[in-house]
C-alpha cells in the first residue's frame, strides 16, 4: 500500500510537469528524472538506450551540452543539480519517452508514459 501511494505521488501531474524542460525548442524530460519516475537507476536506463540507440533518432533523444546543463541550473536557481552530474544527460522528447517505456517493458514505465 505504501509503495502504491509513493507511485501515485511520483505520477502526480504537477510532479511530471516540473520535470519537463524546453531545450532546443523541444519539450523534454531528462534521463535522471525518467529513471526516478521509472524507478530504475540512471545508468541502467542509459545502458538500455545505448543498446538500442538506433531507436532514438535526434527527434526522440539528444545529449545535452555542458552549456545547456549550466542554463538549466541557472533557470532553476540551483548551484548544483542532482548532486553533480558526471555524464551529460540525455533529453527525451515525448516520442523518446514512449520508445523508452516500450523497451523497459514494466508496468511502471507504461504508467509513466501514459501520464506524460
Amino acid at each position: 500500500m505504501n509503495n502504491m501511494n509513493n507511485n501515485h505521488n511520483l505520477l502526480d501531474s504537477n510532479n511530471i510537469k516540473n520535470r519537463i524542460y524546453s531545450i532546443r525548442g523541444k519539450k523534454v524530460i531528462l534521463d535522471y528524472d525518467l529513471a526516478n519516475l521509472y524507478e530504475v537507476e540512471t545508468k541502467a536506463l542509459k545502458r538500455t538506450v545505448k543498446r538500442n540507440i538506433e531507436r532514438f533518432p535526434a527527434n526522440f533523444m539528444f545529449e545535452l551540452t555542458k552549456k545547456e546543463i549550466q542554463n538549466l541550473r541557472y533557470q532553476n536557481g540551483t548551484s548544483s543539480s542532482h548532486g553533480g552530474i558526471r555524464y551529460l544527460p540525455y533529453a527525451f522528447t515525448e516520442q523518446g519517452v514512449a520508445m523508452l517505456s516500450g523497451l523497459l517493458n514494466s508496468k511502471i514505465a507504461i504508467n509513466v508514459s501514459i501520464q506524460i
Side-chain angles (χ1 to χ4, degrees):
M1 180 78 169
N2 189 19
N3 191 25
M4 203 169 181
N5 288 337
N6 191 20
N7 285 344
H8 178 70
N9 291 337
L10 281 175
L11 297 180
D12 176 79
S13 63
N14 286 330
N15 188 22
I16 291 174
K17 285 179 188 176
N18 291 336
R19 296 168 190 252
I20 298 174
Y21 300 98
S22 181
I23 303 173
R24 300 182 194 175
K26 298 179 181 187
K27 291 187 185 261
V28 298
I29 299 181
L30 303 180
D31 58 10
Y32 48 77
D33 285 329
L34 281 172
N36 184 268
L37 291 169
Y38 290 151
E39 298 181 4
V40 299
E41 290 185 5
T42 304
K43 68 180 181 179
L45 184 144
K46 287 184 136 188
R47 196 172 28 237
T48 297
V49 170
K50 287 178 183 179
R51 279 194 308 247
N52 296 279
I53 198 68
E54 70 281 353
R55 295 176 183 251
F56 294 96
N59 61 327
F60 280 35
M61 179 206 74
F62 54 89
E63 189 172 49
L64 268 59
T65 65
K66 288 181 181 182
K67 183 147 182 80
E68 287 168 331
I69 295 289
Q70 290 171 338
N71 289 341
L72 280 178
R73 289 180 182 165
Y74 178 75
Q75 288 174 17
N76 293 330
T78 60
S79 60
S80 118
S81 176
H82 299 277
I85 297 172
R86 290 185 189 158
Y87 304 101
L88 296 173
Y90 291 138
F92 292 86
T93 64
E94 187 176 355
Q95 296 91 342
V97 169
M99 181 63 70
L100 183 60
S101 67
L103 291 172
L104 292 174
N105 197 23
S106 72
K107 288 185 179 185
I108 292 171
I110 292 166
N111 288 335
V112 168
S113 180
I114 290 168
Q115 289 297 317
I116 292 171

